[in-house]
Structure formats: C-alpha cells, structure tokens
C-alpha cells in the first residue's frame, strides 16, 4: 500500500464520525440499497442472507411471533 493511501485510511479510521467517514458510509449505504432493491429476486436474496427470511420464504424464528 502506498504511503499516501495508508495515511488516508488512517485518517478516516481515526475519526469515524467525521464528515468524510459519514459521507463514505452514506455512499456505501446508497450503493447497497440500489443493489438490494434492483429486483424482487435481489431483495429476497438480501433478506435471506441477512437471516430475516428462510429460503422457503417464511420469516425466521427471530422475526416471527
């Protein structure tokens, strides 16, 4: 890793609540949301991968009443 990149990463990690870190998180969240909601199938896959739904389409035990 180049020294410049290392310094940038260290500065971002040292202040996770700073504007640069917040903007980075916002961009990552927007990208995730765009991918996850691209289609019904991709949304279903995210919900299954996160453990909210089972592969059969039912709510997992943690989310059912």
């Amino acid at each position: 890793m180049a020294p410049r990149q290392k310094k940038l990463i260290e500065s971002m990690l040292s202040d996770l609540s700073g504007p640069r870190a917040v903007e980075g998180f916002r961009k990552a969240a927007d990208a995730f949301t765009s991918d996850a909601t691209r289609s019904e199938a991709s949304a279903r896959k995210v919900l299954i991968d996160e453990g909210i739904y089972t592969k059969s389409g039912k709510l997992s035990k943690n989310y059912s009443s």
Side-chain angles (χ1 to χ4, degrees):
M1 181 181 313
R4 185 174 178 194
Q5 290 174 325
K6 186 175 180 181
K7 187 175 180 178
L8 176 62
I9 291 171
E10 287 173 354
S11 71
M12 289 174 69
L13 292 177
S14 67
D15 185 15
L16 294 176
S17 63
R20 198 186 238 170
V22 171
E23 185 59 29
F25 176 82
R26 185 174 289 128
K27 286 181 181 179
D30 287 344
F32 175 81
T33 301
S34 293
D35 289 344
T37 59
R38 181 179 53 237
S39 67
E40 187 176 330
S42 62
R44 183 178 291 116
K45 182 180 181 325
V46 169
L47 293 171
I48 291 169
D49 291 347
E50 295 300 324
I52 298 170
Y53 278 92
T54 64
K55 289 183 181 181
S56 64
K58 296 183 180 187
L59 281 174
S60 67
K61 290 179 185 177
N62 292 335
Y63 296 95
S64 60
S65 52

